[in-house]
Amino acid sequence: SQQGEEDPQALSIQEGENATMNCSYKTSINNLQWYRQNSGRGLVHLILIRSNEREKHSGRLRVTLDTSKKSSSLLITASRAADTASYFCATDPSSGSARQLTFGSGTQLTVLP
Amino acid sequence: GAVVSQHPSWVICKSGTSVKIECRSLDFQATTMFWYRQFPKQSLMLMATSNEGSKATYEQGVEKDKFLINHASLTLSTLTVTSAHPEDSSFYICSAGGLAGEETQYFGPGTRLLVL
């Protein structure tokens, strides 16, 4: 079953602007991961943030995690047309040995040139 | 980085036939692989966890006799959609973990199945 929701469901911005996507989840987590999916393709891992971390950076990506609110955000700065894709958060539960990921509903980002 | 492949990338079949999808970890051994299903414009839904040398664990609502999973080696898991029907048309994605010390899963490129 779906762990949580992402908002917005769709986001359209101009090239150069920043894009912020939010993810909420319901249960305890070990870590939260963000993935990108181009249309009809597989998933590309972007960044992982652990439950004891609050913020993480990777290039133009900035991820925050608030475990008290069970929410995370992904910020893409200085967006490019090539960033157009669907973005999913996925939670890794705190229990269990297998790395079962539960995905959010996703945000479709369109970056206009 | 670790690479996971899927074959075929797309398949069209007639209703009632069975379709086998392969998921391979190319440069690492994966003790656990996961199979997901994704409908258009929707998120990924975990179908089952495939463990090398043992029976797969299916998520609630997924028919194990309909979706047969075999994880015969540390680099190969197969998903067979038996007696496929149009409602089985979907995008099937596998992922593999198991790299020592890593929490990241590596996803295959997906297989698009269309059942006529």
Side-chain angles (χ1 to χ4, degrees):
Chain A
S1 61
Q2 287 290 99
Q3 167 69 294
E5 298 299 318
E6 290 181 56
D7 77 271
Q9 289 188 341
L11 177 62
S12 184
I13 58 174
Q14 293 291 134
E15 205 165 26
E17 293 180 339
N18 296 340
T20 300
M21 290 160 267
N22 302 296
C23 165
S24 62
Y25 57 92
K26 299 176 182 175
T27 61
S28 297
I29 63 170
N30 178 50
N31 66 64
L32 185 145
Q33 304 174 34
W34 284 90
Y35 289 84
R36 184 183 76 197
Q37 184 182 35
N38 288 80
S39 181
R41 302 291 188 89
L43 272 71
V44 174
H45 181 262
L46 295 176
I47 195 166
L48 179 153
I49 186 166
R50 292 186 174 81
S51 59
N52 61 353
E53 297 176 310
R54 292 296 168 260
E55 187 172 312
K56 203 163 184 179
H57 297 254
S58 177
R60 294 184 295 115
L61 306 179
R62 172 177 169 256
V63 169
T64 62
L65 179 64
D66 186 335
T67 53
S68 66
K69 295 181 179 179
K70 291 186 166 58
S71 67
S72 174
S73 68
L74 170 67
L75 168 68
I76 303 174
T77 60
S79 63
R80 305 166 182 168
D83 295 328
T84 295
S86 291
Y87 291 82
F88 295 93
C89 66
T91 52
D92 184 352
S94 56
S95 61
S97 57
R99 298 289 180 187
Q100 287 185 351
L101 296 179
T102 304
F103 284 82
S105 52
T107 294
Q108 171 62 50
L109 173 66
T110 302
V111 182
L112 303 170
Chain B
V3 178
V4 175
S5 70
Q6 277 184 246
H7 177 80
S9 56
W10 61 270
V11 57
I12 302 174
C13 69
K14 292 182 179 180
S15 186
T17 60
S18 294
V19 176
K20 179 185 284 188
I21 302 170
E22 293 184 348
C23 177
R24 293 181 185 272
S25 56
L26 297 184
D27 48 4
F28 67 102
Q29 294 182 330
T31 53
T32 304
M33 291 183 173
F34 302 94
W35 286 96
Y36 296 85
R37 182 174 181 176
Q38 185 181 33
F39 290 108
K41 298 191 184 300
Q42 294 189 26
S43 186
L44 280 74
M45 299 294 290
L46 179 66
M47 297 175 67
T49 302
S50 170
N51 300 297
E52 187 269 336
S54 64
K55 291 183 178 180
T57 304
Y58 290 82
E59 294 299 299
Q60 192 173 9
V62 179
E63 300 175 59
K64 61 181 181 181
D65 295 330
K66 171 77 173 177
F67 299 98
L68 300 178
I69 291 173
N70 185 286
H71 195 154
S73 76
L74 287 171
T75 59
L76 174 64
S77 175
T78 60
L79 168 69
T80 301
V81 183
T82 62
S83 187
H85 288 94
E87 58 265 30
D88 298 324
S89 299
S90 188
F91 194 52
Y92 293 87
I93 305 176
C94 71
S95 71
L99 287 174
E102 284 202 33
E103 296 165 289
T104 304
Q105 284 188 31
Y106 296 92
F107 284 79
T111 296
R112 188 163 300 283
L113 171 63
L114 176 60
V115 184
L116 302 176

